[in-house]
């Protein structure tokens, strides 16, 4: 049995941030009913890149869901939505703040239909505040949160994460909020409203940045792939690619120096603490880089394993997909959408009694409209009329 079996989620979201959250909930058994508009549907269906005419952007965030279409600008469409909400535990949306209220499907409207409903909203800046109605996407949220300023190399441009990090992190916090609310509902029978912002979520990852500014008067700056807590934690180029190396015991780096064939460095007083090594970071980097350039990544891994030091190759996606640890953890799974077979990410959370499962491929637009609406009392005749009136596809 999946842990969220019996929980129904009406998913009004589109694009990536909230859909990735509802997919995670669906992976653990929630019945996620994706409500798409009667036009082009979820906006991610139009994103590049395309394979066989289908968007990969849609495919990677919508497994295990059922899709229905509703024209929520029509009274009949809203009526059908509210009928569905009566059977649900959670409603999720990521419209720009104010849009749900304008459509008449905000939390107050949902609560009038089902008093104990949980409603979760995800937006760029949150539902309140001076920036609430500004549009946002992942890189904008990374910029606003301070995360982008901290990412990259000294004396170079601030850098985005390389993936839709703001969307993903906000989606994970949205899952947390929904789970907290479901637990509260189980205890009290009460619903509530959840407001998650991409910027807030990324600020939550800034670690000691605020304390560093306020308590030390020091502005954190970009340090590349290094770590202020100790050196050497850094990226180095081997004969056949890049790797990330680290010292396993910050208070004693003698084993690291032996691993790189320079045990004399371990006796040098000017290098004997993390702070002192940071004072001489560039010269230490150059020594290690000179050593790394003489070996392949596999050879470095073997040497570092013998000396108990920290090592990881810096892998491309294609290499990650073939990595034995990744495959052992079932983090590469086979998927199919409208005849296109592809590999996707597995389920990161491993549970001994109630593991997540992939039960359904991503749905086509409106694939389950009749199935879902019939389950809440609509007849074939009513569905035909709704189609004729443009309420459903």
């Amino acid at each position: 049995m999946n842990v969220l079996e019996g929980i129904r989620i009406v998913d009004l979201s589109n694009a990536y941030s909230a859909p990735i959250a509802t997919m995670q909930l669906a992976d653990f058994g929630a019945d996620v009913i994706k409500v798409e508009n009667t036009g082009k549907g979820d906006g991610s269906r139009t994103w590049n890149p395309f394979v066989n005419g289908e968007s990969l952007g849609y495919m990677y965030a919508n497994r295990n869901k059922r899709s229905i279409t509703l024209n929520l600008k029509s009274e009949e469409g809203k009526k059908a939505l509210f009928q569905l909400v009566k059977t649900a535990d959670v409603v999720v949306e990521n419209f720009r703040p104010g849009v749900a209220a304008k459509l008449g499907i905000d939390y107050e409207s949902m609560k009038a239909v089902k008093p104990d409903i949980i409603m979760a909203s995800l937006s760029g800046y949150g539902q309140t505040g001076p920036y609430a109605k500004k549009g946002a996407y992942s890189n904008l949220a990374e910029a606003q949160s301070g995360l982008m300023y901290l990412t990259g190399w000294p004396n170079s441009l601030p850098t985005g994460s390389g993936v839709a990090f703001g969307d993903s992190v906000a989606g994970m916090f949205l899952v947390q909020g929904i789970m907290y609310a479901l637990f509260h509902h189980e205890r009290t029978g009460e619903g509530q409203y959840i407001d998650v912002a991409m910027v807030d979520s990324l600020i939550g990852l800034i670690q000691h940045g605020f304390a560093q500014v306020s308590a030390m008067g020091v502005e954190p700056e970009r340090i590349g792939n290094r770590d202020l807590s100790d050196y050497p934690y850094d990226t180095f180029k081997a004969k056949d690619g890049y790797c990330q190396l680290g010292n396993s015991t910050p208070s004693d780096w003698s084993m690291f120096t032996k691993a790189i064939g320079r045990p004399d460095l371990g006796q040098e007083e000017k290098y004997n603490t993390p702070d002192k090594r940071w004072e001489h970071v560039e010269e230490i980097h150059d020594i290690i880089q000179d050593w790394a350039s003489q070996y392949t990544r596999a050879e470095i891994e073997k040497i570092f394993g013998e000396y108990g030091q920290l090592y990881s190759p810096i892998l491309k996606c294609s290499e990650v997909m073939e990595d034995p640890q990744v495959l052992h953890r079932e983090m590469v799974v086979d998927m199919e959408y409208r005849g296109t077979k592809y590999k996707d990410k597995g389920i990161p959370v491993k549970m001994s009694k109630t593991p997540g499962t992939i039960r359904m491929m991503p749905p086509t637009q409106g694939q389950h409209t009749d199935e879902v609406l019939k389950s809440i009392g609509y007849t074939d005749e009513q569905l035909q009329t709704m189609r004729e009136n443009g309420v459903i596809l």
Side-chain angles (χ1 to χ4, degrees), residues 20-321:
I20 198 68
T22 54
M23 186 187 79
Q24 291 172 17
L25 296 166
D27 284 349
F28 283 89
D31 177 20
V32 175
I33 300 173
K34 183 178 184 68
V35 180
E36 301 190 61
N37 64 56
T38 51
K40 294 183 179 179
D42 188 319
S44 66
R45 292 183 183 275
T46 65
W47 291 352
N48 286 322
F50 287 86
V51 176
N52 297 329
E54 303 294 342
S55 169
L56 294 181
Y58 170 77
M59 289 154 62
Y60 64 61
N62 289 288
R63 68 188 180 206
N64 283 333
K65 303 178 185 180
R66 296 192 286 169
S67 169
I68 70 171
T69 55
L70 286 175
N71 179 357
L72 296 179
K73 294 181 179 179
S74 70
E75 289 306 312
E76 187 62 29
K78 280 186 279 196
K79 179 182 176 182
L81 174 64
F82 290 141
Q83 285 293 105
L84 186 57
V85 168
K86 289 178 182 178
T87 71
D89 302 280
V90 182
V91 176
V92 175
E93 62 92 7
N94 64 343
F95 301 117
R96 191 175 295 196
V99 172
K102 185 176 180 180
L103 289 171
I105 56 172
D106 57 352
Y107 177 53
E108 293 305 316
S109 303
M110 298 294 180
K111 194 165 60 169
V113 171
K114 193 170 192 289
D116 67 339
I117 196 68
I118 295 164
M119 186 165 183
S121 297
L122 194 156
S123 60
Y125 298 91
Q127 301 297 309
T128 60
Y131 302 161
K133 295 191 177 181
K134 285 179 62 176
Y137 61 90
S138 186
N139 270 11
L140 289 177
E142 288 188 44
Q144 185 75 42
S145 69
L147 185 67
M148 186 179 287
Y149 185 84
L150 296 173
T151 305
W153 297 93
N155 304 314
S156 70
L157 288 174
T159 305
S161 62
V163 295
F165 197 63
D167 291 297
S168 298
V169 171
M172 288 187 279
F173 277 114
L174 192 71
V175 170
Q176 286 186 30
I178 290 169
M179 295 306 297
Y180 298 153
L182 286 169
F183 188 46
H184 177 75
H185 183 274
E186 184 177 323
R187 283 176 161 178
T188 67
E190 297 174 341
Q192 61 182 298
Y193 183 66
I194 301 163
D195 173 6
V196 171
M198 292 166 64
V199 172
D200 295 352
S201 299
L202 292 174
I203 288 173
L205 305 183
I206 299 297
Q207 297 176 333
H208 51 66
F210 287 5
Q212 192 171 339
V213 170
S214 59
M216 299 174 63
V218 175
E219 186 74 61
E221 296 289 343
R222 293 180 292 287
I223 57 172
N225 292 338
R226 297 171 178 175
D227 190 317
L228 282 175
S229 66
D230 190 20
Y231 197 83
Y233 290 138
D234 208 346
T235 296
F236 299 93
K237 188 173 183 180
K239 281 184 176 181
D240 59 345
Y242 293 97
C243 54
Q244 187 76 10
L245 304 182
N247 176 23
S248 63
T249 311
S251 61
D252 175 15
W253 83 308
S254 62
M255 293 301 286
F256 188 100
T257 64
K258 291 175 183 177
I260 64 169
R262 290 292 306 274
D264 57 300
L265 299 177
Q267 307 305 314
E268 291 267 9
E269 185 177 345
K270 69 176 182 177
Y271 300 145
N272 67 4
T273 68
D275 286 346
K276 288 180 180 179
R277 290 194 289 277
W278 255 101
E279 290 175 11
H280 301 90
V281 63
E282 296 303 336
E283 61 190 75
I284 296 175
H285 169 273
D286 291 348
I287 291 169
I288 301 169
Q289 178 54 63
D290 181 65
W291 173 82
S293 67
Q294 302 173 50
Y295 297 91
T296 65
R297 291 185 298 177
E299 289 169 339
I300 293 174
E301 181 173 22
K302 184 175 185 297
I303 294 168
F304 268 50
E306 292 170 353
Y307 285 91
Q309 299 306 293
L310 305 177
Y311 164 88
S312 178
I314 297 178
L315 300 180
K316 303 173 184 177
C317 282
S318 57
E319 294 172 314
V320 174
M321 292 168 64

